[in-house]
Amino acid sequence: MTLTGRHVSYWIDSTLPSSYPTLSQNVTVDVAIVGAGLAGVTTAKLLKQAGKTVALIEADRIGVGVSGHTTAKVAALQQLIYAELIEQHGKEKAQLFGESNRAAIARLADLIAAENIDCDFERKANYTFATDADGLAKVKKEVEAAQSLGLPASFVESVDLPFPITGAIMMPDEAQFHPRKFTLAIAATLPGDGSYVFEQTRVKTVEDEGPCRVITHNGSTVTAQDVVIATNLPILDIGLYFAKTYPKRSYIVGGHIDPAQAPQGMYIGVGDNYRSIRSTPTDDGGTVLMVGGEGHKVGKDDATDERFERLESYLRSTFGVEPEYRWSTQDYISFDKLPYIGNLTPAHQHTYVATGFSLWGMAKSVLSAMVLSDRILGIHNPWADLYEATRPTPFVTSTSIQQNLEVGAHWVGDRLKGLFDSTDSVEPGVGKLVTHNGSKIAAYRDDSGQLHTVSAVCPHLGCIVAWNQAEKSWDCPCHGSRFSCEGNILHGPAVKPLEQKVCD
Ligand SMILES: Cc1cc2nc3c(=O)[nH]c(=O)nc-3n(C[C@H](O)[C@H](O)[C@H](O)COP(=O)(O)OP(=O)(O)OC[C@H]3O[C@@H](n4cnc5c(N)ncnc54)[C@H](O)[C@@H]3O)c2cc1C
Ligand code: FES
């Protein structure tokens, strides 16, 4: 299989690397924020603006997690959401959802203007389109639902995409931006006056015992009155957020398009095989068009390279664009469609989480920053109750039952995988599960023939990892932890790498 694009996110490729220090001694601040994605960086900014000292602690580099691999549409129209929200939660809560996401977009715009951040922020119309009768019915229902909530949505019969549609819902005045330019610019405003940014510093755990202690991989600690865990899925298991969400992985390809030919809005289709489409200006005056889609549950598909192939072929055939970039990332889907923003558990009065953004976390990250900074500052927030992280969990919806049953099935059933008893069967460029002296081994042979062997048991809660061919990684089908072929953590909730194993 030949893929044309380079395997790198456009957002990361078009920004310079950051280089903040690793935490190597103990520090004390008012608030520690764990995770420097959009949620963490924005929360740290709002708190520092309000006069708190903050420490932003990132395991990798600023903005290279999900927020560095997103499509970065900042939207209140999140594909199809309002008809379902009204059905599931009633009109009042659905209205608060729309209002709060619109307010988050406005807050982001204000922040960018106030700090004069060059991050390609543009107000744009946002469309969810249908290409058949079934999709059209869903779109019309969504228009009706959104309008009944007072949102400025309307039905349109055509859009400037180069294929016919049956209809679309349009929300004006939404936004898009360059997420990594934003996170880097905001992070740069944080250090000083008792505040810090640390990179390459993995947090192992947090103790909430007034004051809180954030304990990092090398034993250095940050002591703080309050701690915000913004690690996409919380690294602490105690709030059971891993069982209130499931991880979904999705793919993006991009390449230069003639600016005159580029569609002007932001678009997403409906149905399982949807495509998400937007363009972005480049620093050299050009335009890159991005197409996303091909989502699936993490660890459930090893032929992931075929997903990139389908997207590349779509980019060429639909837009005449040659793929230059390809990348992939994942997000956590909340079972009741609302993010979890608030205290980790009712007993944790000073540890907070923001998770379950359900593939629409740009506005929700900013919203999380608004809700959590208000809570820490003791300010009433009109949306805090709606998103309360400790709200009763819908463990009994059909999706949550199915997802949690699947986790159980993986925990037990995947132990029977790895029938090969020799690493000889592992060809170059491929990973396989192997049983060696009774242990499950994840074995990968690189292109030079060298074998890399690590334990196949995920250090989070013990599921067996699965091979991801496109990313050359070991992905856990239970709660989405991901590891490199050498066992290093690529995505939490795991805080420990896969154990090294020797097969001789
Ligand atoms: C393919 C795809 C496209 C998307 N497109 C859109 C879109 O167009 N619009 C939209 O609204 N949303 C979109 N989303 C969703 C959105 O990108 C995410 O919801 C959002 O980026 C999540 O931000 P975050 O801050 O929670 O996570 P991240 O950006 O992942 O930040 C978490 C950070 O925590 C760090 N971390 C993890 N563990 C530790 C630890 N132990 N110690 C220290 N640091 C740690 C990670 O390294 C990471 O940097 C998309 C998602 C996908 C998968
Ligand atoms: S991520 Fe939870 S067991 Fe692997």
Side-chain angles (χ1 to χ4, degrees):
M1 178 173 310
T2 313
L3 293 168
T4 313
R6 280 188 299 134
H7 196 164
V8 61
S9 149
Y10 167 75
W11 311 121
I12 293 174
D13 194 51
S14 55
T15 42
L16 292 171
S18 52
S19 62
Y20 291 94
T22 297
L23 177 67
S24 57
Q25 59 185 52
N26 300 344
V27 301
T28 300
V29 288
D30 294 328
V31 189
I33 297 101
V34 185
L38 188 60
V41 165
T42 316
T43 305
K45 177 67 185 175
L46 298 193
L47 286 165
K48 175 146 190 197
Q49 264 182 342
K52 295 279 183 191
T53 56
V54 298
L56 179 64
I57 311 158
E58 167 56 47
D60 194 342
R61 296 283 177 196
I62 303 294
V64 300
V66 184
S67 303
H69 292 81
T70 172
T71 330
K73 300 172 183 171
V74 197
L77 174 64
Q78 299 172 2
Q79 199 182 34
L80 298 176
I81 180 86
Y82 291 102
E84 285 191 53
L85 281 181
I86 293 174
E87 251 167 54
Q88 211 168 324
H89 297 282
K91 229 167 152 179
E92 197 183 325
K93 288 185 176 174
Q95 206 156 17
L96 286 174
F97 181 93
E99 173 191 300
S100 57
N101 277 277
R102 297 285 280 180
I105 302 170
R107 185 67 176 263
L108 180 69
D110 287 349
L111 189 54
I112 290 168
E115 297 286 329
N116 200 13
I117 297 172
D118 174 9
C119 60
D120 306 323
F121 180 86
E122 283 178 88
R123 289 287 191 167
K124 289 263 176 188
N126 182 20
Y127 301 86
T128 302
F129 64 87
T131 51
D132 59 20
D134 229 33
L136 178 61
K138 288 181 185 149
V139 160
K140 285 195 164 161
K141 197 172 165 197
E142 186 71 357
V143 175
E144 207 177 292
Q147 287 179 342
S148 78
L149 300 172
L151 290 164
S154 57
F155 179 73
V156 294
E157 283 178 343
S158 62
V159 292
D160 64 342
L161 289 170
F163 50 82
I165 63 162
T166 49
I169 172 169
M170 188 275 286
M171 186 87 94
D173 227 15
E174 305 243 80
Q176 64 176 35
F177 72 149
H178 188 310
R180 189 144 195 271
K181 283 187 182 173
F182 176 80
T183 48
L184 286 174
I186 291 289
T189 67
L190 296 175
D193 302 324
S195 292
Y196 309 87
V197 174
F198 299 110
E199 291 185 322
Q200 307 267 280
T201 304
R202 188 166 294 280
V203 171
K204 278 168 58 181
T205 192
V206 177
E207 294 168 358
D208 182 344
E209 286 164 6
C212 303
R213 271 165 40 90
V214 178
I215 300 161
T216 69
H217 67 293
N218 62 12
S220 304
T221 61
V222 177
T223 303
Q225 285 305 318
D226 295 283
V227 178
V228 175
I229 301 182
T231 50
N232 195 224
L233 183 67
I235 51 163
L236 299 184
D237 293 334
I238 189 163
L240 299 181
Y241 294 96
F242 61 81
K244 299 178 187 178
T245 59
Y246 70 93
K248 190 165 178 192
R249 203 154 179 85
S250 195
Y251 300 77
I252 301 174
V253 298
H256 279 83
I257 185 169
D258 176 349
Q261 304 292 320
Q264 291 304 301
M266 308 184 293
Y267 314 83
I268 191 162
V270 297
D272 284 345
N273 297 321
Y274 70 83
R275 297 287 182 246
S276 170
I277 301 162
R278 70 160 277 197
S279 58
T280 186
T282 59
D283 289 343
D284 59 3
T287 299
V288 162
L289 182 76
M290 295 167 194
V291 172
E294 296 288 332
H296 63 90
K297 211 180 151 209
V298 173
K300 293 285 277 185
D301 181 8
D302 55 2
T304 42
D305 42 1
E306 290 172 18
R307 296 182 180 270
F308 277 129
E309 198 178 37
R310 284 194 286 274
L311 284 177
E312 286 202 345
S313 141
Y314 181 89
L315 192 65
R316 272 194 204 97
S317 62
T318 310
F319 294 100
V321 166
E322 197 48 32
E324 293 165 66
Y325 301 93
R326 67 173 192 278
W327 69 90
S328 167
T329 188
Q330 68 196 45
D331 204 13
Y332 288 82
I333 313 294
S334 161
F335 292 138
D336 68 0
K337 306 205 177 309
L338 300 175
Y340 295 94
I341 307 170
N343 294 62
L344 174 66
T345 75
H348 288 78
Q349 286 304 304
H350 295 278
T351 308
Y352 311 90
V353 294
T355 191
F357 294 156
S358 305
L359 298 168
W360 289 98
M362 295 286 102
K364 287 178 197 143
S365 286
V366 180
L367 181 55
S368 303
M370 293 158 74
V371 169
L372 294 181
S373 59
D374 279 353
R375 175 148 313 175
I376 290 167
L377 296 165
I379 298 170
H380 171 75
N381 182 288
W383 308 299
D385 288 350
L386 177 64
Y387 300 119
E388 185 53 72
T390 56
R391 67 183 178 265
T393 306
F395 277 122
V396 288
T397 66
S398 57
T399 323
S400 63
I401 290 170
Q402 188 199 332
Q403 294 303 332
N404 283 310
L405 280 176
E406 271 185 39
V407 168
H410 279 300
W411 206 92
V412 179
D414 289 355
R415 282 173 160 64
L416 305 174
K417 284 185 180 168
L419 298 175
F420 305 97
D421 58 3
S422 160
T423 52
D424 293 349
S425 63
V426 184
E427 300 125 37
V430 174
K432 269 187 185 167
L433 294 178
V434 173
T435 303
H436 182 76
N437 291 340
S439 300
K440 287 280 169 284
I441 304 293
Y444 167 70
R445 195 179 297 281
D446 65 27
D447 290 337
S448 71
Q450 195 191 337
L451 195 65
H452 304 265
T453 47
V454 289
S455 167
V457 179
C458 175
H460 177 228
L461 293 176
C463 288
I464 301 294
V465 295
W467 178 242
N468 173 343
Q469 179 63 27
E471 310 278 322
K472 300 242 185 304
S473 62
W474 294 105
D475 298 359
C476 182
C478 287
H479 317 113
S481 288
R482 297 182 58 245
F483 307 88
S484 70
C485 299
E486 295 80 25
N488 299 322
I489 302 170
L490 298 175
H491 201 284
V495 291
K496 284 191 217 146
L498 293 174
E499 201 185 319
Q500 296 295 316
K501 291 280 181 185
V502 179
C503 291
D504 41 26

